[in-house]
Amino acid sequence: MSEKRQRRSAGLLLFRRAGDGVEVLLGHMGGPLFARREAGAWTVPKGEYEPGETAWDAARREFREEVGLAPPDGPALELGEVRQAGGKIVTAWAVEADLDPAEMRPGTFTMEWPPRSGRVQEFPELDRVAWLTPDRAREVIVTAQAAFLDRLAEHSER
């Protein structure tokens, strides 16, 4: 696949200090394909972007679109890139911030559901967000994105 056609996403991994460590904010992917799943169904709030938009700008835009809240200001820690199983490259930054998951107002997407039914339905991009300990996050996050948790932990230990 040429570099121009490579699917790329960017996102923000919020973290906050809690007790003896940190918690991270992850989103549970919306729609019927993930409705009954936990493992592998949680993600850094992120989304795709096209050439001409920077990954950083896309990460902030997608946070607003997926969570429905303004992306937090403050220093951002580059967490680098990972390649997910489907080949998409995801770039993420960690930002220390706190927000109330109850204030989330997710964006939506449409898809034909059930398949081949001819019915198009609307679903939330993320159906919920939650603060999770790194251990719990590791149990449910999209496998490739666990590297972001490791990189955040490395930074937090410094």
Side-chain angles (χ1 to χ4, degrees):
M1 184 175 287
S2 74
E3 185 62 30
K4 285 196 321 189
R5 295 181 52 212
Q6 178 69 54
R7 291 177 48 214
R8 293 184 168 272
S9 284
L12 299 179
L13 177 62
L14 269 54
F15 70 98
R16 67 181 182 185
R17 299 185 193 282
D20 294 337
V22 299
E23 292 178 325
V24 295
L25 185 80
L26 295 181
H28 185 270
M29 290 183 267
L33 302 177
F34 299 99
R36 292 183 177 88
R37 289 182 46 197
E38 284 293 305
W42 291 77
T43 183
V44 172
K46 62 167 183 50
E48 290 189 19
Y49 64 100
E50 300 295 328
E53 182 178 25
T54 69
W56 172 248
D57 288 342
R60 294 180 57 77
R61 175 182 52 76
E62 286 292 337
F63 186 89
R64 181 182 300 277
E65 288 178 12
E66 294 217 343
V67 179
L69 300 172
D73 292 322
L77 169 66
E78 290 185 46
L79 298 177
E81 296 180 342
V82 299
R83 182 181 301 272
Q84 295 187 161
K88 182 187 291 184
I89 295 173
V90 179
T91 305
W93 287 264
V95 177
E96 186 170 2
D98 198 359
L99 66 81
D100 180 354
E103 294 179 3
M104 175 186 145
R105 300 292 178 260
T108 60
F109 69 97
T110 57
M111 67 182 280
E112 182 181 13
W113 191 260
R116 295 175 296 284
S117 67
R119 287 184 49 208
V120 176
Q121 296 187 51
E122 189 172 67
F123 300 97
E125 296 265 358
L126 300 174
D127 58 25
R128 62 191 181 278
V129 295
W131 289 103
L132 305 171
T133 65
D135 287 343
R136 177 64 181 143
R138 191 171 306 287
E139 294 172 359
V140 298
I141 197 167
V142 171
T143 304
Q145 292 181 27
F148 295 141
L149 302 174
D150 297 338
R151 294 170 191 166
L152 177 61
E154 290 169 11
H155 178 76
S156 299
E157 293 170 0
R158 294 182 193 157

